Amino acid sequence: MNETPAAPADKNHKPRILIVDDVHENLHVLVGILRNDFAVVVATSGPKALDLATRQPAPELILLDIRMPGMDGYEVLHRLKSDPATADIPVIFVTALAETADEAVGLRLGAADYVTKPVNPELLLLRVRNQLELRCHRRKTAAGNGAEAVLRAEKPTLLLVDDIPENLHGLSTALHEDYRIMVAANGQRAVELATGPNPPDLVLLDIIMPGMDGYEVCRRIKSSPSGGRIPVIFVTVADSVVDKLHGFSIGAADYITKPFDIDEVRARVRTHLDLSRLQRSLEQLIEERMASLQEANEALAESKEKYRILAEYSPNWEYWIDPQGRYLYVSPACQDVSGYSAVDFVGDPGLMRKIIHPDDLPIWDAHDEQQPSPSGHHLLNFRIRARDGSERWIEHICQPVVDARGRFLGSRGSNRDITSRVRAEEELHLAATVFATTSEAVMVIDATNRVLTVNPAFTEITGFSQEETAGHEPVMLPADPSDPEPYRHLWAAVNTTGRWQGEITSRRKDGREFIAWATVSTVYREDASVHRRVVLFSDITEKKKVDNLIWTQANYDHLTRLPNRRLFNDRMEREVRKAQRNGTTVGLLFIDLDRFKEVNDTQGHEIGDLLLIEAASRIRQCVRDYDTVARLGGDEFTVILSELHGGSEIGRIAQDIIDRLSEPFLLAHQEHFVSASIGIAVFPEDGLTISELIKHADQAMYLAKDAGRGCFRFFTRALQQSAEQRVHLAGELRRAVEAEQLEVYYQPIVELDTNRVTKAEALLRWKHPTQGTVSPAVFIPVAEDTGIIHDLGDWVFRQVIRQARRWRDTLGEDFQVSMNLSPVQFNVSGPSCRQWAELLASGDLPGANLVIEITEGLLMNTEPGILDILLRFRDAGIGVAIDDFGTGYSSLAYLKKFDIDVLKIDQSFTRNLSPDAPDFALCEAIVVMAHKLGLKVIAEGVETELQRDLLRQIGCDYAQGYLYSRAVPADQLEAFCLA
């Protein structure tokens, strides 16, 4: 440490203190205690201290160590007190010498106080402030004595008070050579001058004056703070004893009667001025004596306090025992260390041995404090068990106490609690062990980025040894500003905050790259400069590979390598936020592959997977690099089109995707064909949240499918309203059965040859409480989409069985009731129609009384379960009719395969039936074909007699339509048939 000021000169005139110690650590501690309140100067030797003490500005107090090489503290103190320039500077010894004899020597040499190390900060500050205040008081006293001498050297001031100018002139003329003269022509002016900032030393005062007389003036002067010491002499013509007694009673010092002898006046004035001076001298002497006495008392009290603090506030457990082993003194620190008070030890001299750890008793027993030992005893460290059960480590030193004649008076000992130090050493040893054995690499570098040491784990991970790295810049932490961006960020954080944590990529000795999770920490010096940096890192290369694989599996579709639903949602959310900030548009395409299920079911999942992979590639080629293509599952894909400034681009991209997906897929040397239906939703017009946009794009996709597939449709608000209405309708439909809002109506089917009603078709009607009768064309598709159709089908089937059993009795054993069966009800997961044969048997109704109507499209379905269900119907005797024949994909082979009984000509052919119409020829062909196959034919939608006659003409078997009756409740149909 340089012997220069440790803190800059303070503009607020902080007291200047010189600290003298040859140990830098001691200087650092003392400067830390004093630097906030004082201007501190330091010196590390005696000569330098003497030099600094004589410089200007001189120190106002000196803290001086005793033991120093060369010139010790005693010599420094002697020279300071021998030099008049430095003799009045108070000196406080701050030393590790704690003996009373050492302190006595210092005080005899002129030390102002004595503080032992280790220093108590609060005690040191108290001692320093006390000595500075004493020095200031002494200086003020010396300055006051000098000012008084100056005052005595000056002419005394007299105040002459009289209302007659001639009297004032006479006195002034006679006295002005020996005194400074002040005059007042009335009482008011006299009071102002006597009580003003420059009062006179004596007042010559007339009594008889107009206005305020002399008595009142005297009274006011004497009642003022400074007037009590001013002698007042009345100079007046009033000569009665009463007047004089009255004057003395109010404080007059003397009485001169006019006319007077000027020599008498001079004598009286001199006498009273001398008396005044003497009084002031006596008062000052008394004040000085009282101050000295007070100072002596304070010094005595401080000395007592000093010795008390030395004994009572020492952190060490001090004691003194006599030659018999009895305690003469035990310091209070014993209770802080052991939990036992001084009274406990005095009452039980053997208590110390009792509390020593049993394993350490041999150490204690190795010395005998009751016998003199020239060199004393310094034992090995041992443990004690404190009163609270905790263990404390003790450092023990004892020395013999002898008097001037060499007589042994006992032993003085000191027990220092070193528990914290022992634990710190253990922690240091533990840290060294951890450093050597941890699996995490540790590297310590200096402030210049040079390696100081590395641990074995560092060598194991990097391949570099201690010898190869020490003194070199670490390869994994280059400090060159031209280094890659991650390292610049690393060093910026380390230089700013002292810490950094994150991933870095480095190379092993053999050149292989590895990824490390590293933490860089900084160790600072006291002056906040960098001392060391500690780098800890672990090899996470394999963990990163596993993490990347897990992340990829969690966010990407394993088949197409496209983002999955999770990553799609994340990117969609990001694009929506960006569009909100930038005011742009985001397009969402919901793509469903048409007829993919047919390829997957007929060709196998392997071909289906290859088709999905190729489809994903084609979609990816149709969009921009920064757009997102995702697979949500099955044959559903989505495309996020970002940073759009209008909707025109979306339609073009959607059509490109449709065109590319319509091209042949060459898979396993065979061409396969699919198409795509695309629904489009646009942010923010079609929704503000991801769920809204997906829902609306999905709705638009189904609109594209309804439009014939292989096309795209944009979402519209009308579509949304329709979807919401369907959802609402589905909820009400679920409750319609329990609310008895559903009813089965029946429409008669007439045999054309006999004009007799032999059949009836069961048709479901919904009487809504607020909307009236809801058309089946409205609620049946809703029931199919939501799966309610299964529950409705079961309910209708039970109603039909019950009614057909009744009509078998009333309308004939051959009366048949037909009911429509939705393709959805043939779903293999729907058990309803599989159980109907069992219900039919339990209901005591022959199957011949029932006919199930299905559509042509159902026959084209290749599901094996459909044929199974139809065969069950046949085995139960239930007839099967093809409804709306001629409107779908008809196949004669399917008619034979599924054992169909009846064909129903769709009303679109019979509505405009006339002899010359093309529909007439088609109807005739259907009838002829059906009869050739052994099938019966029913014509739907017959509304006129001409239509009936033409159908009878071509040999049609049955007719159904408004010509005969609308669909009516069961009782009305029964009445119609019996009429």
Side-chain angles (χ1 to χ4, degrees):
M1 182 179 292
N2 295 328
E3 297 171 337
T4 55
D10 193 87
K11 296 182 179 179
N12 295 324
H13 303 290
K14 290 182 179 180
R16 191 176 183 85
I17 296 179
L18 170 61
I19 303 175
V20 186
D21 201 309
D22 63 310
V23 179
H24 287 221
E25 287 78 8
N26 295 341
L27 289 174
H28 177 75
V29 171
L30 293 173
V31 169
I33 296 172
L34 301 172
R35 72 194 318 167
N36 292 331
D37 301 318
F38 306 95
V40 181
V41 180
V42 299
T44 58
S45 67
K48 188 62 180 179
L50 294 173
D51 178 54
L52 291 175
T54 57
R55 291 186 185 179
Q56 293 298 325
E60 297 176 51
L61 185 140
I62 298 175
L63 298 180
L64 178 61
D65 188 19
I66 294 178
R67 286 184 175 175
M68 295 186 295
M71 185 185 298
D72 64 10
Y74 294 133
E75 181 62 22
V76 174
L77 177 61
H78 173 69
R79 296 194 183 190
L80 288 171
K81 295 303 178 182
S82 300
D83 187 349
T86 57
D88 67 331
I89 301 175
V91 177
I92 299 177
F93 273 134
V94 180
T95 177
L97 298 177
E99 296 293 338
T100 305
D102 298 320
E103 183 176 355
V105 172
L107 295 175
R108 282 199 303 271
L109 290 175
D113 212 332
Y114 197 95
V115 176
T116 57
K117 300 176 183 176
V119 174
N120 182 306
E122 295 180 359
L123 176 61
L124 179 65
L125 289 170
L126 175 65
R127 298 290 179 80
V128 168
R129 292 192 178 106
N130 286 343
Q131 292 302 327
L132 289 174
E133 289 174 2
L134 285 174
R135 187 169 190 257
C136 181
H137 173 70
R138 295 189 187 102
R139 286 190 168 185
K140 288 180 178 178
T141 301
N145 291 338
E148 187 69 21
V150 172
L151 288 174
R152 287 196 297 270
E154 294 179 351
K155 288 182 179 181
T157 301
L158 303 182
L159 173 59
L160 309 179
V161 185
D162 202 311
D163 60 321
I164 299 174
E166 291 79 4
N167 294 342
L168 290 175
H169 178 70
L171 285 171
S172 176
T173 302
L175 301 172
H176 78 277
E177 290 184 358
D178 298 321
Y179 306 100
R180 296 173 61 241
I181 303 300
M182 302 167 63
V183 296
N186 56 64
Q188 184 65 39
R189 178 59 177 164
V191 172
E192 292 175 359
L193 291 174
T195 59
N198 299 304
D201 296 305
L202 186 143
V203 179
L204 294 175
L205 176 62
D206 188 17
I207 293 178
I208 302 173
M209 294 184 294
M212 185 186 300
D213 62 12
Y215 296 130
E216 181 62 25
V217 174
C218 182
R219 186 180 298 108
R220 293 194 181 189
I221 290 174
K222 291 300 179 179
S223 63
S224 67
S226 60
R229 293 182 176 182
I230 301 175
V232 176
I233 300 175
F234 280 125
V235 181
T236 178
V237 295
D239 192 28
S240 67
V241 175
V242 176
D243 294 329
K244 291 180 179 182
L245 290 176
H246 182 56
F248 289 137
S249 68
I250 60 175
D254 211 338
Y255 207 100
I256 299 174
T257 306
K258 298 177 183 178
F260 50 75
D261 181 12
I262 195 60
D263 291 332
E264 179 188 2
V265 173
R266 289 192 181 100
R268 297 286 183 91
V269 169
R270 282 195 301 269
T271 299
H272 286 290
L273 285 174
D274 289 341
L275 289 173
S276 177
R277 290 192 189 103
L278 179 59
Q279 181 184 0
R280 292 188 181 186
S281 296
L282 290 174
E283 291 175 354
Q284 183 175 352
L285 181 59
I286 292 173
E287 289 178 0
E288 290 175 354
R289 293 290 176 85
M290 291 300 293
S292 298
L293 182 60
Q294 178 66 25
E295 185 177 347
N297 289 335
E298 290 176 356
L300 179 60
E302 183 178 350
S303 178
K304 290 181 179 179
E305 179 68 10
K306 176 178 64 177
Y307 287 112
R308 186 186 70 83
I309 290 174
L310 285 174
E312 308 265 325
Y313 287 85
S314 172
N316 296 338
W317 168 6
E318 310 286 347
Y319 68 90
W320 183 6
I321 62 173
D322 64 13
Q324 287 73 43
R326 296 186 296 264
Y327 284 96
L328 302 176
Y329 171 77
V330 182
S331 69
C334 69
Q335 187 157 10
D336 298 332
V337 177
S338 69
Y340 295 94
S341 67
V343 174
D344 295 328
F345 284 95
V346 172
D348 183 3
L351 179 59
M352 182 65 185
R353 191 177 188 281
K354 293 176 183 177
I355 66 174
I356 293 176
H357 193 284
D359 295 343
D360 297 342
L361 273 175
I363 299 174
W364 179 259
D365 292 339
H367 83 303
D368 185 0
E369 294 181 309
Q370 299 178 29
Q371 298 297 324
S373 174
S375 59
H377 300 280
H378 190 164
L379 303 184
L380 295 175
N381 299 335
F382 58 85
R383 291 163 292 173
I384 65 169
R385 287 177 174 171
R387 173 166 274 176
D388 61 5
S390 62
E391 280 190 359
R392 302 291 179 89
W393 280 92
I394 301 297
E395 179 185 60
H396 175 79
I397 300 174
C398 68
Q399 295 288 340
V401 179
V402 295
D403 61 12
R405 291 178 291 178
R407 288 185 304 172
F408 178 62
L409 302 180
S411 296
R412 178 184 177 277
S414 175
N415 295 318
R416 182 191 299 271
D417 184 356
I418 60 169
T419 306
S420 298
R421 189 182 78 190
V422 171
R423 288 175 180 169
E425 291 172 352
E426 291 176 349
E427 290 176 1
L428 185 62
H429 176 71
L430 178 62
T433 303
V434 172
F435 178 82
T437 60
T438 181
S439 61
E440 191 172 23
V442 181
M443 175 174 58
V444 181
I445 59 178
D446 62 15
T448 63
N449 201 35
R450 291 293 181 269
V451 177
L452 297 175
T453 184
V454 296
N455 72 339
F458 178 93
T459 302
E460 183 179 349
I461 293 174
T462 67
F464 292 101
S465 66
Q466 166 73 24
E467 293 74 18
E468 292 171 317
T469 55
H472 300 284
E473 181 181 272
V475 176
M476 63 186 306
L477 288 179
D480 186 352
S482 64
D483 286 329
E485 190 72 16
Y487 291 106
R488 288 200 292 273
H489 290 312
L490 182 156
W491 281 109
V494 170
N495 291 330
T496 303
T497 66
R499 181 176 173 82
W500 178 86
Q501 187 176 62
E503 289 183 11
I504 58 175
T505 302
S506 187
R507 290 188 181 276
R508 310 182 201 274
K509 185 178 180 179
D510 59 11
R512 291 179 298 131
E513 276 194 353
F514 71 95
I515 303 172
W517 180 259
T519 301
V520 183
S521 303
T522 304
V523 180
Y524 294 100
R525 293 189 177 93
E526 293 293 337
D527 60 358
S529 63
V530 175
H531 181 52
R532 297 285 186 267
R533 298 196 198 275
V534 180
V535 183
L536 292 86
F537 65 90
S538 55
D539 185 353
I540 61 169
T541 307
E542 293 303 318
K543 180 180 181 299
K544 287 291 293 183
K545 290 180 181 178
V546 173
D547 289 347
N548 289 338
L549 177 60
I550 293 174
W551 187 87
T552 300
Q553 291 174 342
N555 291 277
Y556 283 87
D557 175 49
H558 72 281
L559 178 65
T560 62
R561 304 303 180 192
L562 293 177
N564 60 12
R565 184 181 298 273
R566 177 177 176 173
L567 186 55
F568 161 78
N569 287 334
D570 181 68
R571 292 190 179 178
M572 189 68 188
E573 185 177 357
R574 182 183 63 193
E575 293 299 334
V576 166
R577 286 199 303 266
K578 184 166 67 175
Q580 288 174 331
R581 291 194 306 269
N582 302 335
T584 55
T585 298
V586 178
L588 175 61
L589 277 58
F590 198 105
I591 305 170
D592 185 85
L593 300 183
D594 303 323
R595 292 185 296 278
F596 168 76
K597 188 175 184 302
E598 296 177 14
V599 175
N600 199 50
D601 291 345
T602 58
Q603 303 300 317
H605 293 297
E606 183 177 351
I607 296 299
D609 289 347
L610 293 175
L611 192 150
L612 290 173
I613 294 171
E614 177 63 20
S617 176
R618 293 185 185 184
I619 297 172
R620 180 73 265 177
Q621 295 168 9
C622 294
V623 300
R624 301 162 298 182
D625 291 340
Y626 52 83
D627 293 328
T628 296
V629 178
R631 181 189 177 206
L632 300 188
D635 59 348
E636 293 180 342
F637 297 85
T638 55
V639 177
I640 303 173
L641 302 175
S642 57
E643 300 182 11
L644 300 175
H645 298 281
S648 59
E649 299 176 76
I650 304 177
R652 177 187 59 77
I653 294 174
Q655 189 59 52
D656 288 346
I657 294 173
I658 292 172
D659 294 342
R660 287 286 286 124
L661 294 178
S662 299
E663 296 174 2
F665 287 80
L666 183 60
L667 307 172
H669 309 291
Q670 183 178 354
E671 287 188 344
H672 300 276
F673 293 88
V674 296
S675 60
S677 297
I678 301 178
I680 303 171
V682 179
F683 173 86
E685 291 87 348
D686 299 334
L688 299 178
T689 65
I690 297 175
S691 59
E692 284 182 333
L693 292 170
I694 293 176
K695 179 178 69 175
H696 294 165
D698 185 48
Q699 292 172 356
M701 183 271 291
Y702 279 105
L703 186 64
K705 283 189 176 294
D706 292 342
R709 306 184 181 184
C711 62
F712 65 87
R713 289 292 182 270
F714 283 89
F715 170 79
T716 62
R717 286 297 164 189
L719 183 62
Q720 172 65 11
Q721 293 171 358
S722 173
E724 291 175 352
Q725 185 177 4
R726 287 166 65 90
V727 171
H728 179 70
L729 195 65
E732 293 188 321
L733 186 57
R734 290 184 185 277
R735 297 185 292 271
V737 176
E738 296 179 1
E740 298 183 354
Q741 298 173 7
L742 299 178
E743 185 177 358
V744 180
Y745 276 40
Y746 298 90
Q747 188 174 26
I749 299 175
V750 178
E751 187 177 22
L752 289 176
D753 286 344
T754 63
N755 207 33
R756 185 169 64 90
V757 178
T758 60
K759 304 176 187 291
E761 180 179 1
L763 300 169
L764 186 60
R765 293 294 182 264
W766 182 10
K767 296 180 180 179
H768 195 278
T770 59
Q771 299 182 24
T773 301
V774 181
S775 170
V778 174
F779 71 81
I780 292 298
V782 174
E784 290 176 332
D785 290 343
T786 59
I788 304 175
I789 191 69
H790 296 291
D791 295 334
L792 292 182
D794 285 348
W795 184 82
V796 171
F797 187 75
R798 295 176 189 276
Q799 300 299 315
V800 168
I801 288 177
R802 187 181 305 110
Q803 192 61 50
R805 187 189 306 112
R806 171 181 171 79
W807 284 341
R808 178 179 170 81
D809 298 333
T810 59
L811 300 180
E813 294 182 354
D814 60 346
F815 193 86
Q816 286 185 321
V817 180
S818 63
M819 62 175 289
N820 292 281
L821 198 61
S822 166
V824 177
Q825 292 175 271
F826 282 87
N827 190 313
V828 292
S829 61
S832 300
C833 51
R834 294 177 181 270
Q835 301 172 355
W836 286 358
E838 300 173 5
L839 291 173
L840 187 65
S842 63
D844 193 25
L845 179 71
N849 292 107
L850 290 182
V851 176
I852 297 298
E853 296 187 9
I854 61 174
T855 61
E856 289 180 277
L858 183 66
L859 299 181
M860 302 296 293
N861 198 312
T862 59
E863 275 299 334
I866 295 176
L867 177 60
D868 179 62
I869 294 173
L870 292 176
L871 291 176
R872 289 192 182 193
F873 289 159
R874 184 195 64 185
D875 294 342
I878 299 174
V880 179
I882 301 297
D883 195 15
D884 301 332
F885 186 80
T887 61
Y889 297 94
S890 301
S891 171
L892 299 181
Y894 283 126
L895 295 178
K896 292 183 64 178
K897 176 180 178 181
F898 290 104
D899 199 12
I900 303 302
D901 298 300
V902 180
L903 295 182
K904 297 188 72 173
I905 300 175
D906 186 69
Q907 61 182 345
S908 62
F909 295 109
T910 60
R911 183 179 298 115
N912 299 315
L913 195 64
S914 64
D916 301 325
D919 291 338
F920 180 71
L922 288 174
C923 289
E924 185 177 14
I926 291 173
V927 171
V928 172
M929 176 195 69
H931 287 169
K932 290 292 184 180
L933 294 174
L935 309 180
K936 297 294 184 180
V937 180
I938 300 175
E940 296 180 303
V942 178
E943 298 180 354
T944 67
E945 294 182 353
L946 175 61
Q947 295 169 351
R948 178 197 62 193
D949 294 340
L950 289 175
L951 290 170
R952 182 183 290 142
Q953 177 183 334
I954 62 176
C956 183
D957 301 299
Y958 301 95
Q960 175 184 355
Y962 289 171
L963 174 65
Y964 303 104
S965 173
R966 294 175 178 271
V968 296
D971 56 345
Q972 294 183 25
L973 177 69
E974 185 174 342
F976 176 78
C977 294
L978 296 175

